[in-house]
Amino acid sequence: MSLNVAVQMDPIDRINIAGDSTFALMLEAQARGHALSYYTPDTLAMRDGEVFATVQPVEVRDIKGDHFTLGEKQRVRVDGFDVILMRQDPPFDMHYVTATHLLERVHPKTLVVNDPAHVRNAPEKIFVTEFPELMPPTLITRDLEEIKAFRGEFGDIVVKPLYGNGGAAVFRLTRDDLNFGSLYDLFATTFREPWVVQRFIPEVAQGDKRIILVDGEFAGAVNRVPSPGDLRSNMVRGGAAKETDLSPREREICEALGPSLRAKGLLFTGIDVIDGNLTEINVTSPTGIRAIRRLGGPDIAALIWDAIETKRS
């Protein structure tokens, strides 16, 4: 079965192919004989209820500095594709939300991965709060008194933007940290939305596990260990990828999440777990599948395309 596939993503010339999950998915699609086209979300438009994009046929190869060739630009209706991979990175702002509204017009006739309506309704740091029994103590607010009370209860806390990504603007504040007031002022002027406050988990020093689920089933995992002197384990922030297995608690978390992910059409999901605590459910552009494969784990790109092809058959 050959599918006509479009990939909605960030500019292809700027990606780091060594760790980019979208690129892994493109390589696998091409290897299976699917026709690949590429476009950025800036080119989306809706005219009289029909959704268009400026797309280019694309060939990909796993060669740093020479990883793609683009064909001629064409203005096309996106419902002419069998599959669209919605893979641009956050920030999850109104531009992102608008893209989900436009792609919702063509899904499921054109299979959009992940389901755009549920991507919109399941921001990573809010969707996760549907499972409070799996999480560390968590507060979502921009109210100073609420944050003071939470800090008074737990002492050592982490503060991060509600719609941030890649470890940007993640801060740890200890009970006596004199930067609390200044950090509150900074967040209050920088972010219009509430932010996330969580109890700090010291075991993050041993790693923040990225677990990949495909159509609600565990597919693979990598342990991301922060570099010395940094709180953040994100690989784009210098975190080191280490081989790992799942603990019984982590398997319990996957089993608890699976039915909801399947029901919402969230076919490719990455969850973050620290010392048995679920901290995030990434449904926009999960990373980690190239690192998992490089460490001897399963070929998750192949598992994802198996699932997509099953849904399109």
Side-chain angles (χ1 to χ4, degrees), residues 136-139 145-158 197-200:
T138 300
L139 171 69
E145 295 307 315
E146 288 279 355
I147 299 171
K148 283 181 177 179
F150 189 90
R151 187 182 183 215
E153 182 177 355
F154 296 104
D156 207 348
I157 62 172
V158 171
V197 187
Q198 287 181 322
R199 176 178 61 81
F200 175 67

Side-chain angles (χ1 to χ4, degrees), residues 288-300:
I289 67 176
R290 299 216 86 182
I292 290 168
R293 181 66 170 161
R294 194 160 49 245
L295 291 167
D299 186 348
I300 295 176

Side-chain angles (χ1 to χ4, degrees), residues 95-250:
H95 180 44
Y96 211 114
V97 168
T98 301
T100 69
H101 281 292
L102 296 182
L103 290 185
E104 190 180 2
R105 295 297 184 101
V106 304
H107 177 81
K109 176 182 179 291
T110 293
L111 177 65
V112 181
V113 179
N114 287 320
D115 183 315
H118 286 294
V119 167
R120 181 175 68 248
N121 294 334
E124 6 265 31
K125 296 178 181 67
I126 292 181
F127 179 31
V128 68
T129 63
E130 294 185 17
F131 307 92
E133 71 282 3
L134 305 177
M135 298 183 67
T138 300
L139 171 69
I140 297 178
T141 190
R142 59 183 293 121
D143 183 84
L144 178 58
E145 295 307 315
E146 288 279 355
I147 299 171
K148 283 181 177 179
F150 189 90
R151 187 182 183 215
E153 182 177 355
F154 296 104
D156 207 348
I157 62 172
V158 171
V159 182
K160 52 190 173 183
L162 183 58
Y163 297 113
N165 70 298
V170 177
F171 291 89
R172 174 190 177 187
L173 289 170
T174 59
R175 184 179 297 277
D176 300 318
D177 196 322
L178 297 179
N179 291 305
F180 175 76
S182 293
L183 184 64
Y184 175 84
D185 291 343
L186 176 64
F187 269 52
T189 56
T190 303
F191 305 109
R192 296 181 60 192
E193 304 85 7
W195 47 91
V196 181
V197 187
Q198 287 181 322
R199 176 178 61 81
F200 175 67
I201 305 171
E203 290 79 7
V204 70
Q206 280 73 58
D208 177 352
K209 197 169 291 188
R210 164 54 59 89
I211 301 170
I212 302 296
L213 294 96
V214 176
D215 207 16
E217 298 290 337
F218 167 69
V222 60
N223 194 35
R224 304 171 300 175
V225 180
S227 59
D230 203 331
L231 164 70
R232 303 163 301 175
S233 58
N234 310 72
M235 286 181 279
V236 295
R237 305 295 175 188
K242 304 290 185 182
E243 185 180 357
T244 190
D245 292 317
L246 291 196
S247 69
R249 168 65 171 176
E250 289 160 348

